[in-house]
């Protein structure tokens, strides 16, 4: 029988130890494959939750009135004592509107003109200086009523004025021609609340809602307290019916000076 020396035993033990270490070294190689899973985590952390995104302010969303139901609320003869209340009620609901202002009223309340002009979604149009029936005036007088009012409102509001509403809706070929020269489109209406006659919040509301159709231009007067009180209810009811309340310019889109518009 061959004798196993202590030296041979030591050599055999060393070889076994080296053979056992090899698997450990081989297993260490694949470890880096776990690194991408760790580095991907920050991209999840930086994603902003949908609920945290800021909501648009009322009145900032543009609408296409060729595709959705739009109505233009319009107010004549102001600014008056209740005009700012009307503007506040409209703005609170994201509703837009157009105010056809008299020169004499604007002169008395220039700060209100500026307030309307600074409020998002509010548009200003001319309504002549003195509310005289234009069809009974000379050409020069018609021109003075329109142009002086337009220049005044442009100066006070800081905005160009491109629309005019002839008092009483009275127009003819001469009025149309002078409006064209003055670079003003004429805006009439197809829903008349007759608020100047009835002076009733309930009747004004009923007439506004009963005549409301897509593309309508509704006539009211912000100088009457009954109309001022009617505005919140009219706005709420129209919005519940799915109408977007827009300015005349938003309703009609591009307009032509000297042309008369009663609705979309």
């Amino acid at each position: 029988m061959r004798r196993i020396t202590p030296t041979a035993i030591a050599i055999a033990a060393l070889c076994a130890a080296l053979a056992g270490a090899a698997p450990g070294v081989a297993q260490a190689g694949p470890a880096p494959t776990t690194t991408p899973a760790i580095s991907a985590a920050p991209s999840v952390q930086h994603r902003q939750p949908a609920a945290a995104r800021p909501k648009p302010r009322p009145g900032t969303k543009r609408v296409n009135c060729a595709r959705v139901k739009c109505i233009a609320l319009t107010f004549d003869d102001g600014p008056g004592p209740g005009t700012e209340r009307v503007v506040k009620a409209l703005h609170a609901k994201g509703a837009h509107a157009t105010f056809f202002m008299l020169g004499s009223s604007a002169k008395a309340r220039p700060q209100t003109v500026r307030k309307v002009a600074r409020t998002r979604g509010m548009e200003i149009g001319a309504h002549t200086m003195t509310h005289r029936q234009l069809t009974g005036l000379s050409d020069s007088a018609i021109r003075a009523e329109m142009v002086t009012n337009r220049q005044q409102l442009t100066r006070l509001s800081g905005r160009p004025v491109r629309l005019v509403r002839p008092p009483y809706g009275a127009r003819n070929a001469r009025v149309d021609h002078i409006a064209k020269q003055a670079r003003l489109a004429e805006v009439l209406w197809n829903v008349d609340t007759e608020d100047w006659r009835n002076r009733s919040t309930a009747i004004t509301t009923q007439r506004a809602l009963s005549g409301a159709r897509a593309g309508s231009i509704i006539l009211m007067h912000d100088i009457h307290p009954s109309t001022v009180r009617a505005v919140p209810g009219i706005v709420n009811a129209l919005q519940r019916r799915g109408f977007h309340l827009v300015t005349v310019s938003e309703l009609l889109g591009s307009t032509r000076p000297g042309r008369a518009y009663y609705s979309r």
Side-chain angles (χ1 to χ4, degrees):
M1 182 173 183
R2 186 177 179 182
R3 183 180 177 185
I4 300 175
T5 66
T7 302
I9 293 171
I11 292 172
L14 178 62
C15 291
L18 293 173
V25 174
Q27 292 169 1
T33 59
T34 61
T35 302
I38 297 173
S39 62
S43 64
V44 176
Q45 295 173 354
H46 293 163
R47 179 181 296 174
Q48 187 181 31
R53 293 170 188 162
K55 296 180 180 180
R57 292 177 56 191
T60 61
K61 185 177 179 181
R62 291 183 176 274
V63 298
N64 182 349
C65 292
R67 297 189 172 188
V68 300
K69 293 169 26 177
C70 293
I71 280 183
L73 299 181
T74 65
F75 299 90
D76 286 10
D77 296 353
T83 299
E84 293 191 26
R85 283 182 57 195
V86 171
V87 170
K88 184 176 181 179
L90 292 166
H91 184 64
K93 301 297 291 185
H96 298 185
T98 303
F99 294 80
F100 290 97
M101 296 185 173
L102 277 176
S104 54
S105 299
K107 183 179 179 180
R109 290 184 169 82
Q111 291 299 332
T112 303
V113 179
R114 297 187 185 101
K115 173 71 173 179
V116 174
R118 287 195 302 265
T119 304
R120 187 184 298 272
M122 305 302 146
E123 179 176 44
I124 292 176
H127 196 40
T128 74
M129 290 299 296
T130 63
H131 208 273
R132 298 170 69 188
Q133 184 166 322
L134 298 181
T135 52
L137 302 181
S138 66
D139 289 3
S140 61
I142 296 171
R143 187 173 293 104
E145 287 280 350
M146 287 187 183
V147 174
T148 305
N149 189 207
R150 186 200 70 200
Q151 292 172 340
Q152 172 204 42
L153 294 174
T154 297
R155 183 178 68 255
L156 289 174
S157 68
R159 297 182 182 180
V161 174
R162 299 187 175 93
L163 307 176
V164 63
R165 173 165 282 166
Y168 315 107
R171 48 173 285 270
N172 56 20
R174 288 192 307 119
V175 172
D176 295 350
H177 179 68
I178 294 170
K180 182 177 181 179
Q181 292 178 328
R183 303 187 304 279
L184 293 167
E186 298 168 85
V187 179
L188 288 301
W189 59 88
N190 67 336
V191 178
D192 188 352
T193 61
E194 295 190 353
D195 56 344
W196 58 272
R197 186 197 303 273
N198 61 63
R199 308 293 177 96
S200 163
T201 296
I203 296 174
T204 296
T205 301
Q206 185 274 327
R207 290 184 66 88
L209 298 181
S210 65
R213 303 288 186 276
S216 290
I217 298 175
I218 299 178
L219 169 64
M220 291 181 280
H221 298 78
D222 50 318
I223 60 172
H224 301 308
S226 55
T227 300
V228 174
R229 292 191 298 269
V231 169
I234 292 171
V235 170
N236 288 337
L238 290 174
Q239 289 182 333
R240 282 197 301 268
R241 295 183 188 181
F243 288 107
H244 295 264
L245 305 185
V246 299
T247 65
V248 168
S249 292
E250 289 170 331
L251 179 73
L252 300 177
S254 178
T255 55
R256 289 165 42 191
R259 180 174 174 180
Y261 298 86
Y262 290 82
S263 64
R264 180 178 171 83

